[in-house]
């Protein structure tokens, strides 16, 4: 196990009907609030009105940035930062899923930043500057952004989708009410769950030895997702299923399953290029890429861990590692299919036209060629993309 | 799943040789430091000298409270609080295991408290007042006190061992260097691991439904303990084994596996009386009580969860729940025995003389008769104690 820090100070308020606590939480930071949200689903399901009512009764001065995109644009971030500066905003309230929260994080930091928001994202060693306090109300179980310091922003001009992170961007408080995900449709529920699975898988397959706690915890959270996602798909207002997916999303990427380890994430590096070039749903891209990546990296060194995944997550009983590994990959693929996720690239409108360009960028924007679980060069990424063109059988 | 808060702000510095970070951490709070420690093992293994050296170079004014007992006494707490008041201490540095950290927590709170330290402990609804900042250097993987708000204090006069808790008692930072546990002997290593297992088990067997994330995470941490404790017993300086036990201890009782649930802990309620009357090692008492408690509570309603424990933690393959449950209990018992834990009360010097008195107190000091996983009255506690007099076979 490697040395690590764990310092996740977000005040999580998990559960039903706790918005009456929102004024107390916000008042700690000030009265001028910027609400950041997305396409307006919160107006349809009543959440917007509930929040607006709490803020009105609390005497807040409210500003709004609506229309944050699913892969949030740096242009939107600039707009938000400008409001913060102009209106002397005290605190940002993000209401939405990972995209909204990610945008809000970079808005919070860009408000104080000398330079463009894209320059801030390009500070690849991480962002060390200050940020406005951020409070979130989560409406989608997926990215874990509600309990970590990360944000991913897309520059549509340069076709780049890049991550940034910094301690000041950690949400001060996050309201996690599973009821706010009852209206998430099947496709987004499945995509969000695939995103959670991917975070756990990326942390799990790692070269650092001796991380049983992290690994066995990740296996447990994976099993919780695999059990509860199908329930949520069938019964969208099953509270416990939604609650388990929501808490899984936060724990999958708050350091718990990744700390004490080294190495860079492979499937995310590849998927970020798919999203940057084709604007597809992040979780769907991950679900498509992951089984192909697993098959590509399966070798004598990795068979043991892939077999452990198959046995401990999917209950595979095969005793030969390589065979168990293949059965586990197949089970993951079948699980995603059962969640009605389109499992080939053409189904989401992607052909091989930009494979070589995307492969080049995936390597350039990450360190997967050096620090991947199995190092991946451009040819390897292209091969994984090619395997994603058609339906597969891995056994 | 029940509503819950998760707000664990302790700054965890996990890993090898990080004491050079100690001055920066302490300086945030002030220069006058009270060091609290136990029987002096830290003087033998060199840790005391390393800390003293860091503090000297940092220009700290240092006060000391040595000799904190394994079941820390309220009289010791009073002594520490008096030093804090007299010497205007800025920050407390606890170096030790759970007992030392627990004592330090209540010292930190008692320093500001109007009334005796025992009155503070008796505030059964939890302690809401302020406390001096506390930094810890953990030397034993066991109680999880390094990352939670709880403390257990013993009043030797009244033969009471009671818990208290309060947000201000949460350590500001904890240094978790697995190397500091290399010198922990076999008995204490096994006892500490049993304590971790017990925290996970107490959280796991709970009446709240729909807590898969918490439960599957608990199963994972249990598997990590069961795998790594025997390695640490055989190879005391196996870094990864010690690291897994250490991180397991923090995660077992920081809310992760217990939040979103209701109900009171049964085995701890019973064991606290054993320790209060006989001053035995807490983890040993828990190891003895737990399998007997499991057998006692096994019934039609509980068989499913006990079978889940058997299957997911110990890999039991039996399909009939009640039989699987018994096999799981046996495996837990055998595991403790394999760790060389004395598994009967007479082996730790306890006969039936005070069973009825301890049973009475166990019920009086807790709510196990109302909120236990299976409610336990005095007769039930006595029966569990009686079953702990002799070796058992549960299958």
């Amino acid at each position: 196990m490697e040395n690590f820090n764990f310092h996740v100070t977000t005040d999580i308020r998990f559960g039903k009907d706790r918005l009456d606590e929102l004024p107390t939480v916000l008042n700690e930071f000030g009265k001028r609030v910027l609400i950041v949200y997305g396409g307006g689903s919160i107006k349809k399901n009543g959440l917007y009105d509930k929040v607006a009512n709490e803020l009105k009764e609390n005497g807040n001065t409210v500003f709004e940035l609506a229309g944050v995109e699913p892969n949030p644009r740096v242009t939107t971030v600039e707009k938000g930062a400008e409001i913060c500066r102009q209106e002397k905003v005290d605190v940002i309230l993000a209401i939405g899923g990972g995209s909204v929260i990610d945008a809000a994080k970079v808005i919070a930091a860009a408000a104080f930043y000398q330079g463009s928001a894209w320059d801030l994202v390009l500070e690849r060693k991480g962002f060390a500057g200050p940020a406005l306090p951020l409070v979130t109300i989560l409406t989608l179980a997926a990215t874990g952004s509600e309990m970590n310091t990360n944000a991913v922003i897309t520059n549509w001009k340069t076709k780049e989708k890049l991550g940034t992170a910094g301690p000041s961007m950690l949400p001060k408080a996050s309201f996690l009410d599973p009821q706010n995900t009852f209206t998430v449709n099947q496709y987004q529920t499945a995509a969000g769950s695939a995103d959670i699975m991917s975070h756990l898988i990326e942390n799990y397959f790692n070269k650092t030895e001796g991380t049983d706690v992290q690994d066995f915890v990740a296996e447990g959270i994976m099993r919780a997702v695999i059990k509860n996602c199908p329930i949520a798909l069938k019964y969208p207002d099953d509270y416990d299923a939604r609650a388990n997916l929501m808490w899984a999303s936060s724990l999958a990427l708050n350091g718990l399953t990744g700390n004490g380890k080294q190495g860079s994430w492979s499937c995310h590096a590849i998927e970020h290029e798919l999203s940057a070039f084709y604007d597809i749903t992040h979780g769907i891209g991950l679900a498509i890429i992951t089984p192909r990546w697993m098959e590509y990296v399966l070798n004598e060194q990795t068979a043991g861990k892939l077999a452990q995944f198959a046995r401990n997550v999917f209950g595979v009983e095969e005793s030969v590692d390589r065979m168990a590994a293949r059965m586990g990959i197949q089970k993951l693929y079948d699980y995603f299919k059962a969640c009605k996720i389109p499992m080939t690239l053409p189904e989401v409108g992607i052909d091989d036209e930009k494979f070589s360009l995307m492969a080049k960028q995936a390597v350039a924007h990450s360190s997967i060629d050096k620090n991947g679980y199995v190092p991946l060069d451009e040819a390897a990424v292209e091969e994984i993309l090619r395997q994603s063109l058609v339906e597969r059988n891995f056994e």
Side-chain angles (χ1 to χ4, degrees), chain A:
Chain A
M1 199 183 294
E2 303 285 341
N3 288 6
F4 65 85
N5 287 6
F6 187 87
H7 192 202
V8 185
T9 58
T10 306
D11 181 357
I12 297 287
R13 311 274 175 125
F14 194 102
K16 283 180 190 163
D17 303 327
R18 301 185 62 172
L19 279 186
D20 56 324
E21 300 168 25
L22 185 61
T24 317
V25 169
L26 291 174
N27 287 346
E28 199 184 321
F29 309 110
K31 287 288 188 183
R32 299 172 74 82
V33 180
L34 173 65
I35 304 184
V36 178
Y37 59 100
S41 64
I42 61 165
K43 291 209 167 165
K44 277 180 228 144
N45 67 14
L47 178 57
Y48 177 90
D49 287 339
K50 278 186 216 165
V51 172
N53 196 45
E54 291 289 347
L55 297 182
K56 195 180 164 194
E57 283 189 16
N58 190 43
N60 289 98
T61 305
V62 177
F63 307 94
E64 289 202 16
L65 178 72
V68 174
E69 308 81 5
N71 287 309
R73 315 284 201 262
V74 69
T75 46
T76 308
V77 170
E78 289 285 14
K79 225 185 287 176
E82 186 55 28
I83 299 174
C84 291
R85 284 186 293 253
Q86 288 282 333
E87 306 293 355
K88 300 197 184 344
V89 163
D90 295 315
V91 51
I92 299 178
L93 176 62
I95 313 174
S99 301
V100 167
I101 298 173
D102 282 9
K105 283 177 178 174
V106 185
I107 290 169
F112 294 127
Y113 193 69
Q114 307 292 329
S116 76
W118 192 244
D119 287 341
L120 189 161
V121 173
L122 288 173
E123 286 200 4
R124 298 304 296 279
K125 280 179 188 168
F127 175 70
L132 281 170
L134 169 64
V135 173
T136 85
I137 300 173
L138 186 65
T139 63
L140 179 69
T143 74
S145 190
E146 64 276 10
M147 203 181 178
N148 67 36
T149 64
N150 311 332
V152 179
I153 301 295
T154 298
N155 187 329
W156 206 242
K157 240 191 250 168
T158 63
K159 292 265 188 301
E160 288 175 300
K161 180 178 176 180
L162 296 177
T164 179
S168 65
M169 292 196 272
L170 183 72
K172 301 297 181 199
S174 286
F175 287 82
L176 274 54
D177 184 342
Q179 297 173 128
N180 289 333
T181 63
F182 284 180
T183 52
V184 176
N185 67 28
Q186 284 206 337
Y187 190 77
Q188 291 298 339
T189 299
S193 296
D195 196 19
I196 302 170
M197 286 294 289
S198 178
H199 297 157
L200 295 162
I201 288 168
E202 300 262 29
N203 282 338
Y204 188 79
F205 292 102
N206 189 285
K207 283 183 281 192
T208 307
E209 301 279 330
T211 54
D212 292 325
V213 169
Q214 292 90 328
D215 292 347
F216 297 169
V217 165
E219 291 167 0
I221 304 175
M222 284 192 244
R223 287 195 293 117
V225 173
I226 291 164
K227 176 179 167 186
N228 286 284
C229 177
I231 300 172
L233 291 175
K234 199 166 174 189
Y235 308 103
D237 55 358
D238 184 303
Y239 182 84
D240 282 338
R242 294 291 193 179
N244 277 292
L245 291 178
M246 193 170 242
W247 193 216
S249 90
S250 306
L251 298 184
L253 197 49
N254 73 347
L256 188 63
T257 69
N259 54 25
K261 299 178 162 203
Q262 278 188 330
S264 59
W265 286 14
S266 300
C267 297
H268 271 69
I270 301 172
E271 198 293 321
H272 279 184
E273 301 311 322
L274 296 179
S275 292
F277 281 82
Y278 294 94
D279 205 21
I280 67 168
T281 303
H282 178 55
I284 301 296
L286 291 168
I288 297 171
I289 295 297
T290 303
R292 277 84 175 189
W293 168 80
M294 283 182 166
E295 186 184 43
Y296 187 88
V297 300
L298 173 57
N299 61 36
E300 213 168 307
Q301 281 73 49
T302 63
K305 191 72 180 267
L306 278 154
Q308 179 186 328
F309 165 80
R311 291 176 189 130
N312 292 350
V313 177
F314 283 107
V316 166
E317 291 183 359
E318 168 62 45
S319 63
V320 178
D321 280 354
R322 276 186 104 105
M323 286 177 68
R326 289 196 164 274
M327 290 165 77
I329 300 170
Q330 186 66 46
K331 283 204 178 280
L332 181 67
Y333 185 83
D334 293 344
Y335 162 74
F336 285 142
K337 268 194 88 85
C339 294
K340 303 222 167 61
I341 294 177
M343 286 299 287
T344 68
L345 289 178
E347 287 172 79
V348 292
I350 300 176
D351 61 18
D352 63 358
E353 192 194 327
K354 293 180 174 136
F355 277 5
S356 85
L357 182 56
M358 290 193 293
K360 203 173 159 168
Q361 292 234 43
V363 173
H365 289 151
S366 71
S367 60
I368 55 173
D369 56 337
K370 289 176 213 75
N371 300 320
Y373 179 56
V374 168
L376 303 177
D377 58 15
E378 293 175 23
V381 174
E382 272 203 66
E383 174 61 20
I384 290 165
L385 289 171
R386 255 195 306 277
Q387 293 296 338
S388 306
L389 283 169
V390 291
E391 294 264 359
R392 288 297 318 280
N393 187 313
F394 298 92
E395 286 185 274

